[in-house]
Amino acid sequence: FSRDGEMLESPPEMVGPPGLVLLSNILRNLQMSNQVRFRANADVFVEAVAQMLRTKFTKVTENRRLQLGHKITDVDVVLYEGNTMYLIECKHSVPGASTHEMRGIWEDIERAAEQLALATTILSEPKKRQSYLAGWFPGTKVSDTAGVRIQPCILCSHREFSGLDYEGIPVR
């Protein structure tokens, strides 16, 4: 930096792993205590997942709203391949700074399971399923959706619970 036009230099500094951990814990704790969630991070996570799937599959859509009476939910990514419709709920959680704080990530998984259960219920009804799929993937015929298997999935940005099933829903 400069002072009165004179360039001043400070000696080089290095932040080691303990400092990085400290800073990450401080950021995480500030986010949690102030209930700040960086929405853009979650949106980017969903978009990245959808883009990666589009490189291998043609029928991929994101951020789809579903309604059953007064109950409303959304599915982050829908992948329709063959006779299977994958409903993927993406959860970008603030990492826990201790084992006690892992509860926040687990609560995200529980919320995802609730969303997916409602989405599965809605899409299990053949006429609703056909209507939604035809809207999301134009050209989808009734005969295409007759025997569709619905597979809900939870995709987390962290690996702490990867490999588990929660209420029959795989967590990855």
Side-chain angles (χ1 to χ4, degrees):
F1 63 93
S2 72
R3 180 177 49 157
D4 300 326
E6 180 184 342
M7 185 61 106
L8 300 174
E9 291 186 32
S10 66
E13 295 181 34
M14 181 185 301
V15 177
L20 294 174
V21 170
L22 172 68
L23 289 174
S24 67
N25 290 350
I26 290 171
L27 175 62
R28 185 247 178 247
N29 290 339
L30 284 171
Q31 283 180 301
M32 295 305 290
S33 66
N34 292 299
Q35 297 182 348
V36 173
R37 184 165 186 243
F38 295 141
R39 180 71 190 145
N41 290 349
D43 293 340
V44 169
F45 185 48
V46 170
E47 290 172 23
V49 168
Q51 266 314 112
M52 287 173 48
L53 290 171
R54 283 187 186 105
T55 65
K56 301 289 182 191
F57 304 99
T58 57
K59 294 182 179 179
V60 177
T61 189
E62 59 195 89
N63 297 315
R64 294 302 169 179
R65 182 180 160 155
L66 300 158
Q67 186 170 354
L68 178 65
H70 295 294
K71 295 179 181 180
I72 297 172
T73 191
D74 68 273
V75 176
D76 290 332
V77 179
V78 178
L79 166 62
Y80 183 41
E81 178 68 19
N83 69 338
T84 305
M85 178 175 26
Y86 298 91
L87 306 177
I88 304 168
E89 190 59 32
C90 299
K91 292 299 179 187
H92 182 73
S93 307
V94 177
S98 72
T99 53
H100 175 71
E101 294 167 342
M102 296 299 287
R103 181 68 190 161
I105 297 172
W106 188 252
E107 287 171 352
D108 284 345
I109 291 170
E110 290 175 325
R111 274 192 300 279
E114 289 171 11
Q115 288 175 274
L116 290 167
L118 179 55
T120 300
T121 297
I122 294 168
L123 293 168
S124 292
E125 199 278 305
K127 287 184 182 180
K128 282 190 183 290
R129 180 176 58 240
Q130 169 59 30
S131 177
Y132 279 115
L133 286 173
W136 298 340
F137 308 111
T140 303
K141 301 176 189 123
V142 173
S143 59
D144 298 334
T145 65
V148 169
R149 180 176 75 92
I150 300 171
Q151 177 60 61
C153 309
I154 300 170
L155 184 60
C156 294
S157 57
H158 306 290
R159 293 182 168 199
E160 286 87 358
F161 297 109
S162 183
L164 295 178
D165 280 10
Y166 180 74
E167 295 187 3
I169 302 171
V171 178
R172 301 296 179 256

